[in-house]
Amino acid sequence: MIDALAEFHFIRTAYLLFLIPICGLWWLIRPKRSGKSDLPLGIAPHLAEALTLGADEQRRIYPIDVAMVAAALVAIATAGPTWSRATNPLVADKAPLVIALKVTESMENTDLPPSRLERAKMKVTDLINARVPARTALVAYAGTPHRVAPLTEDANILRPLLEGLTPAVMPKQGDAAGDALSLAESILSESGVPGAVLFVLDDIDPSQLTQFQDATSQVFFLTMLPQGDEIVQLNSLKNTTVVPFSNDDRDVAKLQRQIQTAYENALDDQDRLDWNDQGWLLAWPAALLSLLWFRRGWVIRWALLGLFLVQPAGPANAQGWRDWFLTPDQQGQIAMNQKRYADAAELFEDPYHEGYARLKAGQYPEAAAIFAEINTPEAAFAEGMSRIRNREYRPAISAFETALSRRPNWPEAQHNLEVATAILDYVETTREQSDTGEEAGIGADDTVFDNESGRGENTTIQAQTEGAKPLSADQWISAIDTDMQDFLRNRFLLENQVQQQ
């Protein structure tokens, strides 16, 4: 509440000048009490008051009072009172987050059963699930930092990678928290919007604290220690938030709130979002005041009656009253605010908003088809988002390229183009390696002859080709049987060798 009052202002301040003529007309038109009496002198005051016509009317509310109050409310509403930011389809609702997990032997301590590392993985999983569909990246560090996963909205990508993290997969033991921070901030710089870094750790080398003093992103710490214990080195850090481990979900809920608050404050500072015009709230009291025009003698009631009479005839509908006051797009926005995305898609007449509602509702092919018909960079960007969520990686790449051609040097579109290209390269590389199991390190566990009567005899079998369909990218990936720890160990070793060279 206090934050809202601090942010309160008017978007269009000049419209408040209309209050001056409104107040002037009010003063000029409103009947004024007269202290003079037209009756002859000598009449008793109580008799004079009884004989004076209209004496009671001077104490009533006049029609001009209602009209001017309603006009003043309309003027204030037109000025655009606001105290919060509006949502933007092109800006994420939640902060991008990089989670830096310490993977060392000390994290194998069992004072948090089954171990600090396993409890840390549980907390990270809970946080990822609570943030869906926000973008989250994962970094693992010991003596060297390594990017486990880039920023992604798909929690299913992060979970298996997270489970494969153990001290055995790290190429070098130690504490490179400062280098992990640099890697995390480089990942956030690709997102184009302010984000946060969360360190999940049980201790930190004091020599690493220097780099945290110059952090450009908001840094949070989740300490994996028994309740009551703390990492005293973190007390010297400023502009950071330390959340201790808890046996319930209070620590995850607190992290989620504070990360989102820091994100919204950063967006306010960058003016990335428009202000949410709340002037419509004043339309309701103005409409209620207009009901007083139905009092006897207030002739404007006939005008309102005429407005109802000229309404087009149609079948009776319990919800039809909404059409009298709200446009289809306004009704669609109300449905969007209530997270009824499928209903909003049916209500919107504006194609871009309809496409965005279908995107939020998970109707990715329909959303992509709508965005493809709109010749704007925002539509091409949204089409790419729809395509990539529908796992149409090549069309997604084409859509992001179109967005960049319409708006060059767009960091969000460039980032998504790189992500889509990387996913497509990974899928195609995996498919090629799956064709030759030896190259992928996949060999036969055992040899079984299908013709026991002629073991070793050359046979020819005609494969069925009629009606056969190529495997999809998801089928290729699911067909790979690779140990995640071996995968991470080999990848981290390769990255470490490249860095040393």
Side-chain angles (χ1 to χ4, degrees):
M1 184 65 181
I2 297 178
D3 294 338
L5 292 175
E7 297 286 352
F8 180 84
H9 66 283
F10 290 95
I11 301 175
R12 299 170 293 273
T13 311
Y15 282 91
L16 293 176
L17 295 176
F18 281 103
L19 292 175
I20 298 176
I22 289 173
C23 294
L25 288 173
W26 196 351
W27 183 80
L28 290 174
I29 297 176
R30 191 180 194 280
K32 299 175 177 60
R33 180 186 295 271
S34 176
K36 298 180 180 181
S37 175
D38 296 331
L39 295 175
L41 298 176
I43 298 179
H46 65 283
L47 294 177
E49 182 178 357
L51 294 173
T52 301
L53 296 176
D56 293 337
E57 294 183 357
Q58 293 182 359
R59 293 189 294 269
R60 296 190 314 175
I61 297 176
Y62 291 94
I64 189 61
D65 297 334
V66 177
M68 291 298 102
V69 170
L73 290 174
V74 171
I76 297 173
T78 308
T82 182
W83 54 87
S84 63
R85 296 280 186 172
T87 58
N88 187 336
L90 298 180
V91 178
D93 294 336
K94 295 183 179 180
L97 175 67
V98 179
I99 300 177
L101 176 62
K102 184 180 180 184
V103 186
T104 61
E105 294 180 354
S106 66
M107 290 288 286
E108 294 286 296
N109 196 314
T110 59
D111 53 359
L112 292 180
S115 69
R116 296 178 181 178
L117 183 58
E118 290 303 317
R119 294 300 290 269
K121 292 178 181 179
M122 295 177 188
K123 292 294 183 181
V124 171
T125 301
D126 292 342
L127 182 60
I128 293 173
N129 293 336
R131 285 172 41 80
V132 170
R135 291 183 296 168
T136 307
L138 183 60
V139 170
Y141 75 94
T144 53
H146 299 275
R147 176 161 56 178
V148 180
L151 287 170
T152 178
E153 298 178 358
D154 193 348
N156 294 324
I157 294 177
L158 298 174
R159 292 190 191 105
L161 294 170
L162 181 63
E163 289 300 322
L165 290 175
T166 64
V169 306
M170 305 305 293
K172 183 180 179 181
Q173 292 301 310
D175 187 353
D179 294 335
L181 175 63
S182 300
L183 176 58
E185 291 188 326
S186 68
I187 295 174
L188 288 176
S189 65
E190 300 171 358
S191 66
V193 294
V197 181
L198 170 63
F199 277 83
V200 184
L201 73 176
D202 61 347
D203 196 6
I204 188 171
D205 190 338
S207 63
Q208 301 292 315
L209 298 179
T210 304
Q211 292 179 257
F212 286 86
Q213 301 289 355
D214 302 326
T216 58
S217 303
Q218 186 72 29
V219 180
F220 297 84
F221 293 93
L222 176 60
T223 57
M224 301 305 302
L225 294 173
Q227 292 183 350
D229 295 347
E230 63 177 7
I231 304 175
V232 294
Q233 300 94 307
L234 299 179
N235 296 333
S236 61
L237 293 178
K238 299 180 180 179
N239 300 323
T240 58
T241 302
V242 180
V243 177
F245 167 84
S246 66
N247 289 319
D248 50 20
D249 61 351
R250 287 178 298 171
D251 47 1
V252 174
K254 182 176 181 180
L255 281 170
Q256 188 180 2
R257 289 195 306 269
Q258 296 196 359
I259 291 171
Q260 186 63 21
T261 300
Y263 176 59
E264 293 173 354
N265 293 337
L267 288 179
D268 289 348
D269 295 339
Q270 293 187 358
D271 290 333
R272 294 294 302 271
L273 298 178
D274 295 330
W275 287 100
N276 192 14
D277 191 342
Q278 302 287 356
W280 64 273
L281 294 173
L282 298 177
W284 292 107
L288 291 175
L289 287 174
S290 68
L291 296 178
L292 294 176
W293 287 104
F294 285 90
R295 293 188 60 185
R296 179 177 299 177
W298 294 21
V299 295
I300 201 169
R301 71 178 187 271
W302 300 110
L304 293 176
L305 179 61
L307 290 177
F308 283 101
L309 292 177
V310 299
Q311 289 291 330
N317 185 358
Q319 299 296 329
W321 63 270
R322 295 180 182 272
D323 297 333
W324 298 348
F325 303 100
L326 300 173
T327 66
D329 287 338
Q330 289 173 332
Q331 296 178 46
Q333 187 59 52
I334 292 175
M336 285 289 291
N337 296 339
Q338 297 174 351
K339 300 186 184 302
R340 296 186 290 112
Y341 303 122
D343 295 339
E346 299 298 330
L347 290 169
F348 275 125
E349 290 183 346
D350 180 77
Y352 182 82
H353 286 88
E354 179 188 352
Y356 180 65
R358 295 192 183 278
L359 174 61
K360 296 288 287 185
Q363 302 173 7
Y364 304 131
E366 295 83 354
I370 293 174
F371 290 130
E373 299 296 327
I374 306 175
N375 296 322
T376 62
E378 291 82 5
F381 182 92
E383 180 189 355
M385 294 293 296
S386 303
R387 300 286 189 190
I388 201 170
R389 290 189 180 184
N390 201 38
R391 300 183 181 182
E392 303 176 44
Y393 302 120
R394 290 188 185 279
I397 291 173
S398 177
F400 289 129
E401 289 175 345
T402 302
L404 286 171
S405 66
R406 294 174 181 173
R407 183 185 294 176
N409 301 323
W410 190 359
E412 288 87 351
Q414 183 64 43
H415 170 72
N416 286 358
L417 174 61
E418 294 173 357
V419 171
T421 304
I423 293 175
L424 181 62
D425 291 342
Y426 176 76
V427 170
E428 292 184 344
T429 301
T430 304
R431 178 180 301 173
E432 293 173 357
Q433 292 178 350
S434 298
D435 291 337
T436 57
E438 295 300 328
E439 294 183 6
I442 307 174
D445 295 329
D446 196 3
T447 303
V448 178
F449 295 99
D450 60 347
N451 54 342
E452 292 294 335
S453 60
R455 296 170 63 92
E457 182 180 351
N458 292 332
T459 57
T460 302
I461 300 175
Q462 181 66 38
Q464 181 181 358
T465 59
E466 184 177 354
K469 297 181 180 179
L471 293 178
S472 65
D474 295 330
Q475 291 171 327
W476 277 100
I477 292 177
S478 61
I480 301 172
D481 184 14
T482 304
D483 184 82
M484 187 58 67
Q485 291 187 11
D486 291 341
F487 168 73
L488 292 174
R489 183 187 300 109
N490 294 333
R491 203 182 93 184
F492 292 169
L493 285 172
L494 181 60
E495 290 178 357
N496 201 33
Q497 292 175 0
V498 173
Q499 293 176 359
Q500 291 178 356
Q501 292 177 358

